Amino acid sequence: MAAIVRLSSMCRRGVKPLFYQSPLLSRPVAALQRDHEQQHLPTARIHSSQALHGSDAKAASRHWTAERVLSVVLLAMGPVAYFSPGPVVDYSLAAALTLHGHWGLGQVLTDYVHGETKVKIASAGLFVLSTVTFAGLCYFNYNDVGICKAVALLWSK
Amino acid sequence: MALLLRTFARRGVCLSKPHYNALCRHVAPMGSTAKEEMDKFWSKNTRLNRPVSPHVTIYKWSVPMMMSITHRGTGIALSGAISAFAVAALVLPGNYSYYLDLIHSLSVGPYLIGLAKFGIAFPLSYHTYNGIRHLCWDIGKGFKIPDVYRTGYIVLGLSIITSLALVVM
């Protein structure tokens, strides 16, 4: 009872806020800095990349959005490729598929590869792979039947 | 008294807005980005040669977990297949029809051909339908656990049906 009375004196709104668990409080604090003015109250440390590296945060956010936009575009290309196959769709499909795969594999790399050198090597490898893939698909579109026709022929077997 | 405290605590309502929490009025930014913190974690732990705690080997697997890694797996497989096709187009001597006729001449049999078609169609369908499910999450829809399971089963069902339809097409 005494504990409630003491805590409620800290809360302007009475006892109720005491029982609200703030997710900010449970976040691990990486920098153990003592704020002397705030010693009597817990300070939540948050990540605020917006304040420090505004352009990085904006770039990451735009990349995320671009990934989703490309996904929707690729989704729409399915029926288009089926109903009106041709060179325009072939090259668009080559570009969209390669880029979607490149960005997707990039996320896989980010998740599983750690350490600056390893990340650099893996990213370079991925870039080479995606470039070769796009080159190969364009070569196929130009010198051979093209992606749409290839799928149609494969499926007719 | 303790009973009263416990009853309230069990409700555990979470409010993320700092100004609602009278106990935690002060929010200060850390001097680093999330990426820097993650890099620090990994460099420190690899330097100290620490083993990674068991996680996927001990945690109980759930349908959402399996569907998520399958989405990643099918994505990697599809991307790999496209890359392999592109490299083959650049490196191999003949043209596409030549290799198609080669496969035809093997006279594999209808069931094996059907199986191969299913092997191509299923990863594509699953990745596409689950991709749509991901896009729904991205616009904020379908996060409640029952919805996660329901949409998951719908994706699985549609994938199998679509793949079978594509095989007999």
Side-chain angles (χ1 to χ4, degrees), chain B residues 100-120:
Chain B
L100 258 189
D101 292 335
L102 202 68
I103 299 172
H104 277 229
S105 69
L106 288 173
S107 52
V108 193
Y111 287 110
L112 231 61
I113 289 180
L115 199 68
K117 281 188 178 178
F118 189 82
I120 297 171

Side-chain angles (χ1 to χ4, degrees), chain A residues 1-4 7 10-13 16-25 28-31 33 35 38 40-49 51-53 64 67-69 71-72 75 82 97-98 100-102 104-105 107-108 111-112 114-115 118 129-130 132-137 139-140 143-145 147 149-151 153-157, chain B residues 1 4-6 8-9 11-40 42-43 46 69 72 75-76 79-80 82-87 89-92 94-97 100 103-104 113 116-118 120-121 127-129 131-132 134-135 138-139 163 165-169:
Chain A
M1 197 72 250
I4 299 236
L7 285 160
M10 288 169 76
C11 312
R12 261 187 282 120
R13 286 193 214 120
K16 237 172 123 200
L18 163 68
F19 301 111
Y20 288 99
Q21 290 170 355
S22 169
L24 290 171
L25 282 174
V29 177
Q33 293 169 19
D35 270 326
Q38 297 157 0
H40 58 291
L41 280 173
T43 304
R45 314 294 287 185
I46 57 165
H47 293 292
S48 122
S49 20
L52 298 166
H53 306 272
W64 186 91
E67 284 179 329
R68 317 298 129 155
V69 168
S71 300
V72 175
L75 219 56
Y82 183 79
L97 276 172
T98 328
H100 182 74
H102 179 73
L105 289 172
Q107 294 291 352
V108 175
D111 280 350
Y112 302 136
H114 305 285
K118 279 191 249 177
L129 180 69
S130 298
V132 169
T133 305
F134 186 60
L137 288 176
Y139 177 86
F140 185 80
N143 291 306
D144 215 319
V145 288
I147 297 177
K149 192 82 181 119
V151 174
L153 284 173
L154 181 71
W155 225 252
S156 66
K157 105 170 126 89
Chain B
M1 192 63 253
L4 187 69
L5 274 167
R6 267 187 276 137
F8 278 110
R11 269 212 256 121
V13 183
C14 290
L15 280 180
S16 54
K17 292 192 185 132
H19 62 274
Y20 279 127
N21 192 323
L23 280 180
C24 181
R25 250 182 256 268
H26 304 271
V27 172
M30 293 171 74
S32 58
T33 61
K35 189 177 190 310
E36 285 166 14
E37 291 298 318
M38 289 189 281
D39 287 339
K40 270 198 269 180
W42 282 105
S43 57
T46 46
I69 193 64
R72 181 160 269 191
I76 295 172
S79 201
I82 292 174
S83 293
F85 178 79
V87 168
L90 287 169
V91 163
L92 293 178
N95 69 351
Y96 186 66
S97 331
L100 258 189
I103 299 172
H104 277 229
I113 289 180
K117 281 188 178 178
F118 189 82
I120 297 171
H127 193 84
T128 307
Y129 287 122
I132 297 171
H134 262 285
L135 289 170
D138 290 335
I139 56 172
S163 310
L166 284 172
V167 165
V168 298
M169 211 164 86

Side-chain angles (χ1 to χ4, degrees), chain B residues 135-152:
Chain B
L135 289 170
C136 290
W137 289 334
D138 290 335
I139 56 172
K141 298 211 171 296
F143 274 108
K144 291 205 179 77
I145 295 296
D147 294 335
V148 169
Y149 276 84
R150 196 177 309 127
T151 52

